[in-house]
Amino acid sequence: QVKKQCDQKLLIRIKTKCVPCSLNLDTQCPAGYTKITNGTGTPDCRYYLEVKAHTLSFPGCRHHCVKEFEQPECCQGHWGPDCMGK
């Protein structure tokens, strides 16, 4: 039995919105994603607050999330929707 389908595993990485670190404990990743940071997340961003005519910038935190995704692909020498051919 020759293997015709050689799916590729892709890891999609995203980051949540930057918020004050104290508010980031309960931040959830979007549906289907797994949170890979703990606690308040990673303090690697800035969030902005508008106060009257000024925009203030503060250090904040965000979480990193990943999702594994299988991309259907044919093995070498096969093609088409059913990965036939040779």
Side-chain angles (χ1 to χ4, degrees), residues 41-58:
T42 311
D44 64 348
C45 61
R46 296 190 77 76
Y47 66 96
Y48 301 92
L49 282 181
E50 285 185 31
V51 181
K52 295 188 179 168
H54 303 286
T55 300
L56 305 176
S57 168
F58 298 97

Side-chain angles (χ1 to χ4, degrees), residues 5-66:
Q5 186 106 10
C6 295
D7 293 347
Q8 294 293 316
K9 277 194 179 183
L10 301 175
L11 207 57
I12 302 167
R13 295 173 182 269
I14 62 164
K15 294 172 184 169
T16 59
K17 198 174 120 191
C18 189
V19 295
C21 295
S22 59
L23 300 179
N24 203 35
L25 272 168
D26 297 327
T27 299
Q28 297 300 313
C29 291
Y33 284 84
T34 304
K35 193 189 290 186
I36 57 169
T37 42
N38 297 319
T40 57
T42 311
D44 64 348
C45 61
R46 296 190 77 76
Y47 66 96
Y48 301 92
L49 282 181
E50 285 185 31
V51 181
K52 295 188 179 168
H54 303 286
T55 300
L56 305 176
S57 168
F58 298 97
C61 292
R62 57 188 172 178
H63 283 291
H64 296 238
C65 310
V66 292

Side-chain angles (χ1 to χ4, degrees), residues 7 39 75 78 86:
D7 293 347
C75 297
H78 295 84
K86 200 153 185 60

